[in-house]
Amino acid sequence: MTTPRPARIAMFSIAAAGHVHPSLEVIRELVRRGHRVDYAIPEAFAEVVADTGAEPRTYTSTLPTDDDPDAWGTELIDNIEPFLDDAIQALPQLAKAFEGNEPDLVLADIAAYPARVLAHRWGVPHVQLSPAMVAWQGYEEEVAGPMFAELKRSPRGIAYYERFERWLADHGVPLDPDRFTGRPDRCLVLIPRALQPHADRVDEDVYTFVGACQGDRAHQGEWHRPAGAEKVLLVSLGSSFTKEPAFYRECVAAFGDLPGWHVVLQIGKHVDPAELDPRGHGLPANIEVHSWVPQLAILKQADAFVTHAGAGGSQEGLACGVPMVAVPQAADQFGNAETLQNLGVARHLPKEKADAAALRAAVLELVDDPAVAERLRAIREEMAAEGGTRRAADLIEAELP
């Protein structure tokens, strides 16, 4: 393959780990190949971006952060309005940040709405980098249509769509909001094909699965398996939906003092470790508790993973060959949990049923089942063949003008 001339590439994302981390190694590889990458990101992730060799272009975001997860509300409209609000106020900032330095190509996370508007304005290709499942042929009729039908009839939903349509029209983008947000012209899917529902109905002229692009994540730190630990279990609900002290107490009850097992319990920013030990007796010696952990470093040494089944954690579990107990909390996690269970590598436990007895039984059944280990081995081989970081960078270069 002929290496193209060094190009100027712009990448756009939001300040959320699940949206930034999946593509970091792709950005690092593009920089290694000699391309100039300017990365639009809020200040909270500027250092992580700079570590790849890209140039952070910081902007102010109005999206709720992990510091206030309740700000996302409880209804569908609560979940989608903030992205439009943020896009409208961020677009002028981003246009100014790139003025005089317009790129040859735009890369964008699925939540970075201004990127597609700017690519249209600049007349350059727009390539989406999806850290989660993508739409398949029939998705609108089977999933999106029923999900949004009531919203589109409500006063708040009607106002949202009218505002979105005006914003697109004002910037000359000839798309309706649903197509704008859900149907890119070109997309690289940064999850393994195995995690994609109805993968046989995905348009491969638009979407290319390149699988996990993880790198070594050295910047996140290391973790060392304790001497004498026969089995290691990681429990993590990610970074956003972690305010679950009752669930963590069930995990302590399920795995505390379990012979031969060492447990790493990540509880996030919003739970005090004291809440896991309301009687003050002290936690079992085999459990270490942290607000945050270097997840991938632990999974490479783990024997089981209790997860919320976010796209990032799900594919990391698959890439490391770790059986999973999926306890979804929100969004696409429910579908991911079902997919993992259908693959034969996980058990889906709804949150309301995830008590100590159910958690313990699920973990022990998974790690003792040779069929689960064999299926994980086969999936790891399939993922390796998808190409990962280098293939993603090759495909991005192929889109350069």
Side-chain angles (χ1 to χ4, degrees):
M1 179 177 179
T2 302
T3 302
R5 65 175 176 81
R8 181 180 288 272
I9 297 171
M11 172 68 191
F12 296 77
S13 192
I14 62 171
H19 291 258
V20 173
H21 288 154
S23 61
L24 284 177
E25 290 307 309
V26 179
I27 301 303
R28 192 188 309 278
E29 176 65 13
L30 291 170
V31 172
R32 189 192 68 77
R33 295 184 184 194
H35 302 296
R36 164 69 184 264
V37 182
D38 294 300
Y39 197 126
I41 190 72
E43 184 63 40
F45 280 83
E47 185 176 349
V48 171
V49 164
D51 185 63
T52 68
E55 181 69 27
R57 299 264 181 174
T58 58
Y59 69 95
T60 301
S61 172
T62 59
L63 287 175
T65 67
D66 290 343
D67 292 330
D68 186 17
D70 292 338
W72 283 107
T74 57
E75 299 180 26
L76 177 59
I77 188 66
D78 298 331
N79 299 158
I80 62 175
E81 271 185 338
F83 291 104
L84 178 59
D85 293 342
D86 189 51
I88 291 172
Q89 69 85 34
L91 181 61
Q93 297 181 58
L94 295 168
K96 184 176 181 180
F98 285 91
E99 189 174 359
N101 292 293
E102 290 80 3
D104 302 303
L105 178 143
V106 166
L107 301 176
D109 174 74
I110 55 176
Y113 295 173
R116 196 169 189 181
V117 174
L118 289 171
H120 177 78
R121 179 184 299 180
W122 296 328
V124 300
H126 169 270
V127 179
Q128 188 180 85
L129 302 180
S130 177
M133 72 173 194
V134 295
W136 56 88
Q137 293 173 3
Y139 172 81
E140 286 79 8
E141 295 79 8
E142 297 164 17
V143 179
M147 182 187 303
F148 284 86
E150 184 176 349
L151 172 65
K152 289 184 175 183
R153 292 192 296 266
S154 70
R156 192 173 165 193
I158 292 170
Y160 165 81
Y161 273 92
E162 288 178 346
R163 186 176 178 222
F164 209 147
E165 288 165 358
R166 284 197 305 272
W167 183 63
L168 293 175
D170 287 345
H171 295 285
V173 179
L175 298 171
D176 64 75
D178 291 336
R179 184 164 185 83
F180 177 84
T181 58
R183 289 289 183 177
D185 294 322
R186 185 74 175 98
C187 178
L188 304 186
V189 192
L190 307 180
I191 64 169
R193 189 180 176 88
L195 270 179
Q196 170 66 40
H198 307 295
D200 59 325
R201 287 196 273 149
V202 171
D203 183 353
E204 296 190 10
D205 290 333
V206 174
Y207 302 96
T208 303
F209 291 90
V210 297
C213 303
Q214 291 168 348
D216 61 11
R217 302 272 179 90
H219 67 279
Q220 294 184 347
E222 299 180 349
W223 183 85
H224 300 285
R225 188 182 184 113
E230 298 172 20
K231 301 284 187 183
V232 169
L233 169 67
L234 172 62
V235 179
S236 172
L237 298 180
S239 59
S240 298
F241 303 98
T242 60
K243 198 183 293 186
E244 297 290 341
F247 170 74
Y248 300 133
R249 285 193 291 270
E250 292 297 328
C251 290
V252 171
F255 307 111
D257 296 326
L258 187 61
W261 281 81
H262 182 82
V263 180
V264 182
L265 181 57
Q266 176 180 294
I267 60 173
K269 302 177 181 179
H270 308 290
V271 175
D272 188 327
E275 295 181 72
L276 311 187
D277 180 31
R279 298 183 181 179
H281 295 161
L283 293 177
N286 70 321
I287 294 182
E288 57 176 281
V289 178
H290 304 278
S291 61
W292 182 90
V293 298
Q295 180 165 289
L296 189 59
I298 298 172
L299 284 175
K300 289 177 178 179
Q301 305 171 66
D303 299 279
F305 182 23
V306 175
T307 171
H308 64 308
S314 297
Q315 72 169 3
E316 287 173 6
L318 290 176
C320 295
V322 183
M324 289 169 271
V325 175
V327 187
Q329 307 292 307
D332 63 339
Q333 298 159 21
F334 300 98
N336 293 336
E338 281 300 301
T339 298
L340 290 169
Q341 180 164 276
N342 292 338
L343 287 172
V345 300
R347 299 285 184 273
H348 176 190
L349 270 184
K351 184 167 70 171
E352 63 274 12
K353 296 183 179 180
D355 59 22
L359 286 163
R360 181 166 176 161
V363 166
L364 295 180
E365 288 170 9
L366 285 166
V367 298
D368 289 336
D369 189 341
V372 172
E374 174 57 28
R375 185 66 188 129
L376 282 165
R377 184 199 62 76
I379 290 173
R380 290 182 78 182
E381 289 183 359
E382 294 169 7
M383 290 176 67
E386 289 174 326
T389 301
R390 289 186 179 180
R391 187 176 182 218
D394 288 344
L395 291 168
I396 289 167
E397 289 184 330
E399 295 295 325
L400 287 168

